[in-house]
Amino acid sequence: MEFRRITGLPPYVFAAINQLRDEARRAGEDVIDLGFGNPDIPSPQVAVDKLAEAARNPRNHRYSSSRGIPNLRLAVSNLYKRRFDVDLDPDGEVVFTIGAKEGLSHLMWVLVGPGDTALVPSPSYPIHIYAPLFAGADVRYVRVGPGEDFFANLQASWEEAWPKPKVAVFSFPHNPTTECVDLAWMQRIVDFARERDMVLVHDFAYSDTYFDGYEPPSVLQVPGGKDVAVELYTLTKSFSMAGWRVAFAVGNREVVGALTKLKSYLDYGTFQPIQIASIVALNEAPEYPHAVNAIYESRRDALVDGLNRIGWPVAKPQGTMFVWCALPEPYQELGSLDFAKYLVNEAHVATSPGVGFGPGGEGYVRFALVENEQRIGQAVRNLRRALPKLG
């Protein structure tokens, strides 16, 4: 039997690592999982308390609003004003999405279809690649990461593509490569899109995950940003609320309006107590992302310093909750998938093989900073024993 949209999907390479991890754990091994970027830091207590309170009110058990309740959209508008000095109309330039993946996927439904083309970074978070494909569009890969000039590559891809791309998807700080850009870079891509009548979709998942004095810019900060761009902001990493599935598409009024209309046919929003508690998180715990950041920075330092100490040279990323590592030279012949399997079997450390992130990902593995410093230290010791060729 053939199933549309999923028949052409490649094997999920991360599943191979997960299977090895699970088998090792069933055999009694202590596998340190630094593969899946599933935040372990608790959500703000004030939000948890409000969730429990709101869930006890039967009025909140009914259908909610697919576009997000008004005070939640207002809270996001206020956050953008505080953080980026961006004015957003909560009634026309903000729509709630059930996580950024849902928002991005349905956004592609209203922006592209069969016969259209989208520009997508590669390597990339997989949904960035597959959301346009699910909508029936063709994808042109734009290389990003160490040694690449993403903007120059984007220009070249646009010039070479036919039909001309209608949409460019990007995300900075970038998962998995951890690449970062500045405000001047955002101005360049906005100007480029305005001149070519192209819509920009910026997944801002790591808007609040940054280190060493760097601050990620919003694409909406620059003049003309709202003319061509829509941005996905999420509480997943910023407020460590991954399982709550709370995100927003903000920016261009026409695009947000189209997504709002589509969603009115698809969902009734998420459980209203979650939306109410999210308002409290945004309004009463605005500094929580800084506390989360401090934890990730400490873990980043523990991992990167440890890897360099054992002879695996890695630079410290300025953003995201990941570390993107080129395979050590003595082990490059294995390739990223077999190397990641080797690490599970021999070091009892799980990572994400770069090949799973699309073209350009081969030759790398990604570590997620989802264990405390003690566990990360143990992982480094395990790696040192399992990688004797590092010297």
Side-chain angles (χ1 to χ4, degrees):
M1 185 179 293
E2 291 289 320
F3 297 96
R4 292 185 63 217
R5 294 191 175 88
I6 66 169
T7 301
L9 287 177
Y12 190 64
V13 299
F14 305 120
I17 305 303
N18 294 341
Q19 181 178 350
L20 286 177
R21 176 202 62 200
D22 294 343
E23 289 172 354
R25 285 178 170 172
R26 282 195 294 270
E29 301 292 351
D30 177 23
V31 178
I32 301 169
D33 190 357
L34 302 177
F36 181 28
N38 193 4
D40 65 316
I41 302 168
S43 306
Q45 188 60 47
V46 66
V48 175
D49 293 342
K50 190 64 178 181
L51 174 64
E53 175 192 321
R56 294 189 186 100
N57 186 339
R59 290 191 307 175
N60 291 325
H61 299 174
R62 306 174 70 181
Y63 289 132
S64 188
S65 167
S66 67
R67 65 189 304 202
I69 57 179
N71 281 342
L72 180 55
R73 287 182 278 113
L74 177 61
V76 173
S77 299
N78 290 339
L79 178 144
Y80 262 76
K81 184 63 177 177
R82 285 194 312 268
R83 174 81 195 283
F84 305 111
D85 196 26
V86 170
D87 293 305
L88 290 173
D89 173 11
D91 292 324
E93 296 175 332
V94 180
V95 62
F96 172 88
T97 65
I98 306 174
K101 288 179 74 173
E102 179 270 313
L104 180 72
S105 299
H106 288 146
L107 192 56
M108 290 301 113
W109 285 18
V110 300
L111 290 176
V112 293
D116 294 327
T117 302
L119 300 177
V120 179
S122 188
S124 191
Y125 185 51
I127 196 62
H128 294 165
I129 296 171
Y130 293 108
L133 293 174
F134 289 151
D138 291 326
V139 163
R140 298 289 183 270
Y141 295 115
V142 183
R143 288 297 175 92
V144 63
E148 298 287 349
D149 183 336
F150 177 71
F151 187 79
N153 294 344
L154 184 91
Q155 287 179 302
S157 293
W158 192 91
E159 295 293 343
E160 294 167 3
W162 186 263
K164 292 304 180 188
K166 295 179 65 176
V167 172
V169 179
F170 60 105
S171 179
F172 292 105
H174 183 250
N175 174 18
T177 71
T178 75
E179 291 287 304
C180 295
V181 299
D182 59 17
L183 196 59
W185 189 95
M186 285 296 189
Q187 185 68 69
R188 290 173 67 199
I189 197 168
V190 165
D191 292 343
F192 182 81
R194 291 178 77 184
E195 292 167 3
R196 291 158 180 80
D197 196 27
M198 184 169 62
V199 175
L200 300 177
V201 177
H202 184 220
D203 184 352
F204 209 15
Y206 301 95
S207 57
D208 297 300
T209 313
Y210 54 88
F211 320 109
D212 303 331
Y214 170 72
E215 289 195 29
S218 164
V219 70
L220 304 179
Q221 279 180 271
V222 301
K226 283 202 289 185
D227 294 341
V228 294
V230 63
E231 190 161 73
L232 291 154
Y233 180 86
T234 171
L235 304 193
T236 292
K237 309 306 188 308
S238 300
F239 290 83
S240 205
M241 294 169 64
W244 301 55
R245 311 315 300 135
V246 176
F248 309 87
V250 304
N252 182 273
R253 184 179 295 271
E254 188 177 358
V255 175
V256 169
L259 179 59
T260 301
K261 183 174 182 178
L262 176 67
K263 281 175 57 62
S264 71
Y265 285 86
L266 298 176
D267 70 73
Y268 290 110
T270 200
F271 189 37
Q272 190 152 292
I274 289 177
Q275 297 190 54
I276 293 169
S278 298
I279 296 169
V280 171
L282 288 163
N283 291 343
E284 298 184 23
E287 299 302 314
Y288 200 74
H290 296 304
V292 172
N293 245 15
I295 295 170
Y296 283 134
E297 184 170 19
S298 179
R299 294 177 178 183
R300 177 204 67 166
D301 292 346
L303 178 61
V304 173
D305 291 346
L307 292 177
N308 280 285
R309 195 165 54 246
I310 67 172
W312 188 345
V314 181
K316 287 185 178 179
Q318 288 185 298
T320 78
M321 54 180 287
F322 304 110
V323 177
W324 184 241
C325 302
L327 270 58
E329 192 276 330
Y331 297 91
Q332 288 176 358
E333 63 185 22
L334 288 176
S336 62
L337 180 56
D338 284 344
F339 181 70
K341 289 179 178 178
Y342 176 83
L343 294 186
V344 175
N345 290 329
E346 302 300 325
H348 299 145
V349 174
T351 61
S352 294
V355 68
F357 298 98
E362 183 53 82
Y364 292 83
V365 291
R366 192 197 70 180
F367 289 85
L369 303 173
V370 292
E371 291 276 9
N372 62 39
E373 290 92 328
Q374 291 73 32
R375 294 281 285 168
I376 288 173
Q378 182 62 54
V380 170
R381 290 189 291 274
N382 291 1
L383 291 168
R384 181 181 60 200
R385 288 194 296 268
L387 299 172
K389 294 179 185 178
L390 294 182

